[in-house]
Amino acid sequence: MNQNELKQLVAQKAVAYVQQNVAAGQIIGVGTGSTANCFIDALATIKHHIKGAIASSDATQARLESHGIAVFDVNDVVSVPVYIDGADEIDPQGNMIKGGGAAHTREKVCASIAEQFVCIADESKMVAVLGAFPLPVEVIPLAREAVARHMSELGGQPVWRKKSDGTPLVTDNGCHILDVHGLHISEPLALEIELSMIPGVLTVGVFAQNPADLAFIATKTGVQEILY
Ligand code: 5RP
């Protein structure tokens, strides 16, 4: 099985999970990225089971709507039973690095109103310690260089994320991304709190205050289920 087939497999598992564990007529939270896209496409097959979704990015909103799934403003939703999303890395405690798709601010907001965070990923995302994947940090444009200097002082190597044409990537929130290389994140919660306090940081891609509650991990021999 190639990586795309693993993503399809875990997406189908997550859809079966929604069908079996979420009461009919609820709004669910949906993440961003290639694994989340597989989930959205599979979710379309049971779309009448749910009332709709909250979306963690403009891209996810567009994909949900293309399948005829109603998308609700997060401001109008108090809580959702489940938030389903991929990850760039996940450690043995369910802490994650997210933001490879530049959507981690809205992902964190959606996850914060979810009763349960279900991470869907293939086995390449499982790590002993977070940090080999450069940590995405969303910053307001004016603060980019000040935050970058702060990251360097902490031992990281920040790289301003650009698009393939060389222009700066601008997030759905009108902000920029620093990808911080070289961090060995042995204390994810402490790092998430520390970095979140730097002026100009919108959101750091460490998910430790609100880690995964459950993960479906696609392996070549099937889907592993991990409860944290
Ligand atoms: C987007 C994310 C994604 O969940 C993460 O990048 C994983 O993406 P993919 O499923 O494409 O590997 O955090 O901001």
Side-chain angles (χ1 to χ4, degrees):
M1 248 188 271
N2 62 33
Q3 202 180 20
N4 190 46
E5 288 167 331
L6 291 175
K7 288 176 186 183
Q8 308 272 3
L9 185 68
V10 80
Q12 280 156 15
K13 178 79 179 177
V15 166
Y17 180 81
V18 168
Q19 198 164 23
Q20 286 158 19
N21 294 280
V22 175
Q26 302 276 303
I27 297 171
I28 66 166
V30 180
T32 296
S34 56
T35 315
N37 281 346
C38 293
F39 171 70
I40 294 167
D41 296 345
L43 184 66
T45 63
I46 63 147
K47 67 180 180 186
H48 300 299
H49 180 75
I50 57 170
K51 182 175 178 186
I54 52 170
S56 59
S57 64
D58 292 346
T60 286
Q61 173 159 358
R63 198 171 187 107
L64 286 162
E65 288 175 343
S66 77
H67 286 298
I69 297 171
V71 176
F72 292 82
D73 188 327
V74 180
N75 287 303
D76 298 328
V77 177
V78 175
S79 75
V80 293
V82 68
Y83 174 70
I84 296 183
D85 198 358
D88 298 302
E89 286 185 346
I90 182 162
D91 77 7
Q93 286 74 43
N95 302 305
M96 295 167 284
I97 285 185
K98 294 183 47 54
H104 58 283
T105 295
R106 295 189 191 188
E107 291 173 342
K108 213 174 252 196
V109 173
C110 291
S112 76
I113 64 163
E115 287 163 27
Q116 189 182 40
F117 189 135
V118 177
C119 176
I120 51 173
D122 65 80
E123 57 191 338
S124 70
K125 307 295 183 69
M126 293 178 84
V127 297
V129 179
L130 301 176
F133 189 91
L135 178 65
V137 178
E138 185 168 3
V139 296
I140 65 168
L142 169 147
R144 190 191 63 247
E145 287 307 312
V147 174
R149 284 192 292 276
H150 207 117
M151 296 296 164
S152 299
E153 282 162 18
L154 291 171
Q157 294 100 47
V159 176
W160 183 9
R161 194 183 298 184
K162 306 274 176 56
K163 295 188 287 189
S164 53
D165 65 3
T167 60
L169 182 136
V170 178
T171 68
D172 288 350
N173 311 307
C175 290
H176 290 172
I177 300 278
L178 293 172
D179 290 307
V180 186
H181 296 245
L183 295 174
H184 182 79
I185 307 176
S186 53
E187 293 184 46
L189 182 57
L191 189 74
E192 180 177 10
I193 293 169
E194 181 181 358
L195 299 187
S196 299
M197 290 174 66
I198 299 171
V201 168
L202 181 59
T203 308
V204 299
V206 181
F207 281 55
Q209 295 187 82
N210 197 355
D213 299 295
L214 172 66
F216 291 127
I217 306 291
T219 74
K220 292 192 170 47
T221 53
V223 178
Q224 198 186 339
E225 194 172 325
I226 306 171
L227 197 58
Y228 298 99

